[in-house]
């Protein structure tokens, strides 16, 4: 095994990108670079070369990614709204479209702080890795944040991420988000409920990475249309929120119309659909 100079390193990374492209990876060149930087510990563009043993170690990582193992699982990290979260197999990998959902919740919490001059109360239902809860805590420093999750592995990871990125700012509750007893002491007093519940309709997973590696518990919302759990979240949010409080909930684009109707039936006065970065209807915003 020999060390690589900078030119051989860059050639190896280019070739890895071509390998990943042939395997159908959505962002082959970016993934090839990130895998190299994971081993190098610095940006490829700043590296003068690579040490002995880099090439076979890199080839192993590229092979795993070509087999469609998620990049986040290989690296052990994922990124969300500028923060680096720990990521582990068995817990849902947060997606870029959820950054828009978190942003809507942040805006709603900031409005409470600005207009009412007090600390907003925010509840994140189905928190998973804790990404949305941490984002709200980090971006709205006065917010009081609770996060609910049922799965044990996700609860452990959420606690780890919250304590590292927003120490002492998020209270993690293990429980069923549809159970009226969970956070019952907050009923009628919450300013913002945000949720990214399982909502995928049966058989509607869009990519191999998701199908093979994300847990079914975090994906499928129940029923052919995937609406069973999202509808239950609407009902629970209606009880948690104060008058004027805001629900922000991610959903499948096919679910926009029924969820707006369900929110009105649950007592919300105004319900609109927000778009993701591709322009698709991605989340419900409903005012209690």
């Amino acid at each position: 095994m020999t060390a690589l100079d900078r030119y051989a390193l860059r050639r190896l990374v280019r070739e890895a990108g071509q390998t990943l492209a042939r395997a159908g990876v959505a962002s082959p060149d970016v993934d090839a670079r990130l895998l190299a930087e994971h081993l190098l510990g610095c940006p490829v563009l700043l590296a003068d070369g690579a040490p002995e043993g880099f090439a076979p170690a890199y080839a192993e990582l590229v092979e795993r990614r070509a087999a469609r193992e998620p990049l986040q699982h290989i690296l052990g990290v994922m990124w969300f709204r500028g923060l680096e979260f720990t990521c582990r197999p068995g817990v849902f990998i947060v997606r870029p479209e959820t950054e828009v959902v978190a942003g809507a919740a942040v805006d709603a919490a900031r409005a409470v702080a600005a207009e009412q001059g007090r600390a907003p109360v925010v509840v994140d239902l189905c928190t998973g890795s804790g990404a949305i809860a941490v984002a709200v805590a980090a971006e709205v420093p006065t917010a009081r944040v609770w996060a609910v999750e049922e799965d044990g592995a996700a609860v452990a990871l959420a606690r780890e991420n919250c304590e590292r990125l927003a120490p002492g700012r998020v209270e993690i509750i293990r429980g069923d988000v549809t159970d009226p007893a969970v956070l019952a002491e907050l009923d009628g007093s919450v300013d913002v409920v945000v949720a990214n519940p399982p909502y995928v309709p049966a058989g509607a997973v869009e990519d191999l990475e998701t199908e093979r590696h994300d847990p079914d518990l975090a994906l499928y919302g129940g029923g052919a249309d995937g609406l069973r759990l999202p509808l239950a979240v609407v009902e629970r949010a209606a009880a948690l929120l104060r008058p004027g409080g805001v629900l922000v909930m991610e959903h499948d684009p096919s679910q926009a119309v029924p969820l707006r109707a369900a929110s009105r039936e649950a007592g919300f006065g105004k319900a609109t659909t927000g778009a993701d970065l591709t322009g698709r209807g991605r989340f419900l915003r409903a005012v209690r």
Side-chain angles (χ1 to χ4, degrees):
M1 293 185 292
T2 59
L4 303 176
D5 63 24
R6 68 177 65 183
Y7 304 106
L9 171 63
R10 287 156 179 71
R11 182 169 60 252
L12 197 64
V13 174
R14 285 196 303 273
E15 292 170 351
Q18 294 164 3
T19 297
L20 296 181
R22 288 192 295 271
V25 171
S27 52
D29 294 334
V30 171
D31 287 18
R33 175 177 58 79
L34 290 173
L35 290 171
E37 292 175 350
H38 175 67
L39 292 176
L40 292 168
C42 70
V44 170
L45 290 177
L46 298 181
D48 288 330
E52 290 185 12
F54 173 87
Y58 184 53
E60 180 182 346
L61 297 188
V62 171
E63 182 178 355
R64 289 170 62 185
R65 186 68 186 104
R68 307 303 287 272
E69 182 177 347
L71 177 71
Q72 296 90 340
H73 286 177
I74 298 172
L75 303 183
V77 298
M78 57 187 176
W79 299 271
F80 187 77
R81 291 186 71 86
L83 298 171
E84 185 176 283
F85 289 78
T86 299
C87 177
R88 293 197 192 100
V91 180
F92 184 73
I93 299 170
V94 69
R95 300 301 199 267
E97 54 264 31
T98 305
E99 295 202 6
V100 178
V101 178
V106 166
D107 290 344
R110 282 176 173 165
V112 171
E115 296 167 9
Q116 301 187 29
R118 60 177 179 81
V121 176
V122 181
V123 171
D124 176 18
L125 299 178
C126 305
T127 196
S129 63
I132 294 178
V134 168
V136 173
E139 297 179 45
V140 189
T142 62
R144 299 160 57 202
V145 183
W146 282 260
V148 182
E149 174 58 49
E150 184 174 17
D151 179 71
V155 167
L157 183 58
R159 285 178 174 151
E160 181 179 327
N161 281 322
C162 289
E163 283 307 306
R164 182 170 57 84
L165 297 169
R169 298 288 319 288
V170 181
E171 184 171 347
I172 306 291
I173 307 295
R174 183 174 184 181
D176 179 352
V177 300
T178 68
D179 184 351
V182 174
L183 294 182
E185 67 276 14
L186 295 181
D187 280 1
S189 66
V190 176
D191 296 299
V192 181
V193 171
V194 58
N196 180 17
Y199 60 73
V200 176
V205 171
E206 295 180 349
D207 59 75
L208 283 176
E209 284 90 340
T210 298
E211 182 178 3
R212 293 176 180 174
H213 296 279
D214 275 322
D216 288 354
L217 182 67
L219 291 175
Y220 298 104
D225 56 10
L227 280 171
R228 184 186 61 79
L229 191 54
L231 290 172
V233 168
V234 170
E235 293 289 339
R236 186 69 192 104
L240 284 165
L241 288 165
R242 63 168 175 80
V246 176
L247 166 63
V248 178
M249 184 176 69
E250 184 168 329
H251 59 66
D252 186 82
S254 68
Q255 298 166 341
V257 172
L259 285 175
R260 288 199 305 269
S263 66
R264 289 189 288 268
E265 292 173 7
F268 288 85
K270 180 181 180 182
T272 58
T273 299
D276 63 18
L277 298 174
T278 67
R280 296 184 296 176
R282 179 58 65 183
F283 65 92
L284 170 71
R285 186 185 189 279
V287 181
R288 186 75 171 96

